[in-house]
Amino acid sequence: MHSLVFLCAQKVVSHHSTVRGALEFIPKELYPVLFKAAFMDKRTLVLQDLVQTWPFPVLSFQKLLRKCQHCDRALLQEKPNKLCVQTVILGVVAYLNEALEDRLHSQSKRQRLQVLDMTGLQDDGIDQGPESMSLWSRTVTLAKACIDVSKHQSKCTKRTSKRRKGPYSSSVALPPPQPVAVEVHVDLFVNSTSYGVLKDALQNNANSMLRLKCRDFRAEELPIASTVGLLEFLDPTGVRQVDLRFNNLGLSGLRVILPHMAKFTNLVSLKLPYSNIDVRRLSAGMEGSLHYFATQLSRLSCLKELNLGSSRLSGKLRQLLGDLQGPLESLELAFCYLLPNDLAYLSQSLHTPTLKKLDLSGNNLSDSLLQPFQHLLEEASSSLLHLDIMECRLMDIHLESLLPALCRCSQLRYLGVFGNPLSTRGLKNLLQRTMGLLYLQLVIYPYPVDCYSENLPWPPTSSNLLNGSVDEEKFSRVSAELQQMLLTASRTDAVWTTNLCRHNTLDYFNL
């Protein structure tokens, strides 16, 4: 149910001409609810006018679009509307251009807007329809806006310079225009197609009236030199996460890139999945690179999250993590070919008692890793909120031995067991035994092996399970039985699903 104030705001923003003529008389306290109403109803003309005349120093999507007393929808949790986001950016550009012209004509006005905070907008990478705006698109749009503002700024500077010259080229003592700038707090996603425009925007960042301050930086499929170049342009104080994936870096490439991370003194999260790291057959020279990589990691004093997914780290976990200055809270080691001594080290390390998120998907936990993993689970049970053990070849018998340790994880919110060869009986046992985990809200479970249309090879591989044909009628009955068990136990708050895409797993910063 909307509040009366919000309903009135919706009515007001439905008439653009009325709003435009009344903005100078509207109390500034009403701007936030008018912004929310205009954003929700896609009143782009009103939205641009509101932004252009924004009376506060900060315009934050996080604060304006989260659920509050005026509106029962949390717009920040929805995919951002493309037109509305573009309109906000255009409004800021128009505000800066107007401020620039005022200063050009020596009209002194106090700067209002100073920070545009666009962090926190939803972008799960799926179902990006024509009305939504992805992180990549927002990055490109903002970069182009920065370039346009810089060009206009340069033209105005030249005009000002000409006006300052007297008839005999002697300088006229006119006061210099007061600087005005808006800092955009933003998450950036760049790949090879957007590299050029983002580089151009960041190169002029220090002197531009529209300045990008990156919070989370993600780069995919970029050459090493391009990645290093962009990292050098980023404001070091604002970066909390660097995510470099599919860049084929290898240890030699990481040796080049990691030293450039040291300047990010507030870096909390480092993600390096699919970086083509393989330590199983190291030459003498590569041993040195591994040691250097570990040394550079240890210099990141604020690091709390590390993702080395799809790296072949067999037997080297102690060397990589042993010198870190503080404990990790999120560790992703999916498909890392881990050995028993890796998990044995981890269970005894300073990291385990603080782990909130652990991803060991793709490691074979059904054999020699089973007992070390059980011990690791026991040691992490007091802090663990998020556990991914997908495609780990776990059968009913293995899960049965893990359940006592798993049921000790009293804070667990998410469990991923998709891609494991579990039967209907095994799944029912898992649901029944974990019913007491009151915070467990989301379980991603596999299609039971007894619901496949054809005889699976035994034990089935992940590929067999992913590519096999499921008897939908059988599975529908099993799914209904699981839902009935949840209903009987009054646990309808918990979601049990096989859908990997529709339910976002917990991000470390939201844990």
Side-chain angles (χ1 to χ4, degrees), residues 16 74 92 172 187 195 227 239 303 309 352 366 373 388 439 461 494 503:
H16 172 241
V92 173
V172 177
D187 301 329
Y195 165 74
T227 303
V239 178
L303 195 65
T352 302
S366 68
F373 174 60
D388 253 320
Y439 296 102
T461 65
H503 301 277

Side-chain angles (χ1 to χ4, degrees), residues 335-356:
F335 298 92
C336 282
Y337 295 82
L338 298 179
L339 300 179
N341 65 334
D342 291 314
L343 294 191
Y345 155 72
L346 198 56
S347 63
Q348 301 166 6
S349 72
L350 79 163
H351 309 293
T352 302
T354 65
L355 276 179
K356 296 179 181 179

